[in-house]
Amino acid sequence: MTPFKTIRARAEKRKGGPKALDKLMPAKPDLKQLAKLGDDRILAEMTKRVFCAGFAWSVIDSKWDGFEQAFLHFQPAKLTFQPEDYWEGLLRDARIVRNGAKIMSVRDNAAFVQEIAKEHGSFGKFLVKWPSSDEIGLLDLLNKRGSRLGGNTGQMLLRFVGWDGFVTSKDVVACLRAAGLDIAEEVKSKGDLAKVQAQFNAWAEESGLPYTYLSRICALSVGENSSE
């Protein structure tokens, strides 16, 4: 496998040098901030990622104030006690995107967030305890216990709430394949995900960088850099 220093050098060359590349890095993951993140904000981000899947993000962003109002500002306890009439009414609510399956996922995920918070104090505290070296384990849990949180949706959720992990975007996968990793062009199988995890673990040990940085640099070393 190609060492990460080679991939980083390629990204630096493509983006105009080390300083230019550094400016393209996201904020470093802040575990203290994540631990303090309210369960309502976790549920809000879950909802946004679910509704953005297969839909124009700009549309969801433009209607987000309406989502906040319609979904009671994503307070899990309030949502889990709402009657059927409330959920049926959301199917006619013009403030949100009226997709029945995605609307009902909010109720399911409100219960999921409450369950995790009861076990760990809060969902944010739960995430802080989960090691980046086992992102695929966390993604599996999100898929099994959450609603519509599998695949890329789960990865983007973790990225947006500030958990330190990789994203198997088109550019990241292209980087991994070019580095010598035997995976499909679309990483979906458990076997391929395990290979990706192992490689990021190796690069993290080699470089000492956060997984979020490794993922971003990997993407910037190839392609058009539009999907990471």
Side-chain angles (χ1 to χ4, degrees), residues 26-34 132 162-165 210-213:
K28 284 189 176 181
D30 186 334
L31 295 182
K32 290 183 179 180
Q33 183 175 338
L34 178 56
S132 296
W163 190 81
D164 186 24
Y211 285 68
T212 304
Y213 279 30

Side-chain angles (χ1 to χ4, degrees), residues 61 74 79 86 99 111 204 224:
D61 286 339
F74 298 102
L79 288 169
Y86 164 79
N99 179 298
E224 297 300 323

